[in-house]
Amino acid sequence: MRQYFILFIFGILLAFSSCRTDFDTVASSGDLKFSRDTIFLDTIFKNIGSSTYQLKVYNRSKNDISIPTVQLKKGLSSKYRMTVDGMNGNNGKIFKDVTLLAKDSLYIFIETTADITDADPTDFLYTDEIQFDSGANLQQVALVTLIQDAVFLFPKQNADGTKEKIQIEGKETDGFYLNENDPENGNELIFTNQKPYVIYGYAGVPENKTVTFQAGARVHFHANSGLYVGNKASLQINGTVSATEKLENEVIFEGDRLESLYSNIPGQWNSVIFSNGSGNHSINHLTLKNAVIGLDFKNPFNTVEIKNTQIYNCVEYGILAQNAHIIGENIVINYTGIASLSCVYGGNYNFTHCTFNNNWPNSSHFAVNLSNRLSGAVPETNPLTNATFNNCIIYGSSTNEFNLEKNMNAPFVYQLNNCLLKFGTTTNPDYQFKTDTEHYNNIILNENPKYYNASKNQLNIDKTSAAFAKGNQVYTIPLDILGITRTSPPDLGAYQSNDFPK
């Protein structure tokens, strides 16, 4: 009985001690230590919130201390916001009497939303600092953010309070049509390189109109947004070769989160959709990344030219082509959840010096998929009149990176010439790469292209690659994707081997 009484008393004492919230503290003496002395918040667009950044504050002394103030130097007018050990203080700007125990630390989380007018006009930097205490004990951590001005394109508000919508393949979705006489932006059908563009919802190209992207244009899509090229409308991407790794002349499509954390996260925006009946499309020197589907062609009425184009990190497909006619040169695609290139419901395709790779982290993807059918379509099959691959690489992390879905009710014509291909052992007559000369000529099977770094979408090769000097001169595109002259015999894929990254 006595032992239960002792346990009861001990439990009461423990409960009282755990409820104690007061500590004997001494005032901070200005000896705090920090995980960093300057916090650089990545570039943001004006009035779009940043990611959250972390600062850790250490008390190395043997005393429990109280910090009289932790605040932003600009006070309540600051565009930064903080939480200090989970507390919000005065609007996230000013905190009083912050306790920090001996040999302990606390976390401060910082974010910002600022306008371009808040920044220094000479360098577009918005700055502030976190101040700990004052006077002789004052310690400071600098905050720096680059704010980028942009052209914002978004659905307007209707008189009844609803958002503007457009029809995409029979479905109503948040969106708007680009206006060549917009009172604020001017001609929205011409995307220049003067400022980046940020798109909310789907930007539609009106019937009988052409949207043009000039060399160096930067387009950022918000979540669930994209570009829709409607019936009888056209798209022209006029990028050119760049001299530096900044891709200054490339046209770039990506999400609107500029922080480095988001640079390679798939699915940040939806797609570029080319509707049934659109046409006269030309794409040159486009870099597209982090979409759900990169380029989604739905039966365009004439030939599409895609040249010197890179597509990375798409949740489903890099290029999804439905009964399209595409001529592709120097295309690079990597990291797609289903297929890097998928040509379905027939069509006519010719790809030369392309690198179709797929390092998506599962075993059910393909680098290239060809099909002459489409479930639910009427009729369900459509002729694949031609699918030719010359001097290409079709590779990736899966066992089989090439897939054929044939329906014998419609033609299925295809041929691979001088290609490096990854495919496991099989008795299926459709995949007899060494003996089926009707469909396969000079195939290099299951040899490593030795990319520079596929995990970082660097699919350059060097002279140790199995693709080195294995191309057929008959199919040569004179310049590679970076504008380098190809040798004779040429290397396979989009890159000439002397394009090794510096």
Side-chain angles (χ1 to χ4, degrees), residues 5 167 189 210 218 250 292 316 334 346 352 371 407 411 475 494:
F5 178 75
Q167 291 282 332
L189 289 170
T210 298
R218 301 291 190 259
E250 194 89 355
V292 176
E316 296 180 8
N334 190 29
T352 304
S371 172
N407 187 303
Y475 310 120

Side-chain angles (χ1 to χ4, degrees), residues 180-253:
E180 59 188 331
N181 295 298
D182 184 82
E184 181 177 351
N185 300 321
N187 189 350
E188 294 177 337
L189 289 170
I190 298 178
F191 285 69
T192 72
N193 58 14
Q194 300 304 302
K195 292 181 182 180
Y197 294 79
V198 182
I199 293 177
Y200 288 76
Y202 268 91
V205 184
E207 188 171 323
N208 296 316
K209 298 295 182 180
T210 298
V211 62
T212 301
F213 296 84
Q214 296 179 352
R218 301 291 190 259
V219 185
H220 301 264
F221 295 90
H222 193 63
N224 302 314
S225 298
L227 182 66
Y228 177 65
V229 187
N231 183 46
K232 298 181 183 179
S234 302
L235 174 142
Q236 300 284 316
I237 293 180
N238 300 327
T240 60
V241 68
S242 298
T244 73
E245 61 184 16
K246 293 182 179 180
L247 302 178
E248 65 277 2
N249 296 322
E250 194 89 355
V251 174
I252 299 180
F253 288 179

Side-chain angles (χ1 to χ4, degrees), residues 448-484:
N448 196 337
K450 295 185 179 179
Y451 301 124
Y452 179 69
N453 193 333
S455 66
K456 295 183 178 180
N457 295 319
Q458 295 172 331
L459 303 184
N460 312 66
I461 63 172
D462 65 13
K463 294 181 179 180
T464 67
S465 170
F468 173 70
K470 295 299 193 304
N472 188 328
Q473 188 68 29
V474 172
Y475 310 120
T476 298
I477 305 299
L479 301 179
D480 81 343
I481 192 171
L482 299 182
I484 304 299

Side-chain angles (χ1 to χ4, degrees), residues 355-375:
T355 300
F356 299 117
N357 195 76
N358 201 345
N359 271 48
W360 191 268
N362 66 36
S363 59
S364 59
H365 64 250
F366 301 105
V368 171
N369 175 66
L370 302 178
S371 172
N372 63 349
R373 64 183 181 86
L374 186 67
S375 298

Side-chain angles (χ1 to χ4, degrees), residues 87-220:
M87 299 179 295
N88 293 318
N90 187 350
N91 293 319
K93 319 287 186 181
I94 301 171
F95 300 77
K96 296 291 187 180
D97 300 319
V98 177
T99 298
L100 183 51
L101 301 182
K103 305 296 183 182
D104 202 356
S105 60
L106 60 81
Y107 285 95
I108 297 179
F109 295 98
I110 309 105
E111 58 187 13
T112 187
T113 304
D115 190 272
I116 191 70
T117 57
D118 299 314
D120 185 320
T122 62
D123 55 19
F124 303 107
L125 293 177
Y126 181 70
T127 62
D128 201 345
E129 59 187 41
I130 307 174
Q131 296 183 330
F132 299 83
D133 210 334
S134 60
N137 295 329
L138 176 65
Q139 293 181 268
Q140 304 163 90
V141 172
L143 303 174
V144 181
T145 306
L146 177 63
I147 302 175
Q148 194 164 357
D149 198 5
V151 177
F152 290 85
L153 304 174
F154 50 87
K156 302 294 190 296
Q157 192 98 351
N158 295 320
D160 62 0
T162 61
K163 276 187 179 180
E164 185 180 3
K165 295 183 181 294
I166 61 174
Q167 291 282 332
I168 297 182
E169 305 303 308
K171 295 181 180 179
E172 195 174 66
T173 187
D174 288 345
F176 59 96
Y177 283 103
L178 297 167
N179 183 356
E180 59 188 331
N181 295 298
D182 184 82
E184 181 177 351
N185 300 321
N187 189 350
E188 294 177 337
L189 289 170
I190 298 178
F191 285 69
T192 72
N193 58 14
Q194 300 304 302
K195 292 181 182 180
Y197 294 79
V198 182
I199 293 177
Y200 288 76
Y202 268 91
V205 184
E207 188 171 323
N208 296 316
K209 298 295 182 180
T210 298
V211 62
T212 301
F213 296 84
Q214 296 179 352
R218 301 291 190 259
V219 185
H220 301 264

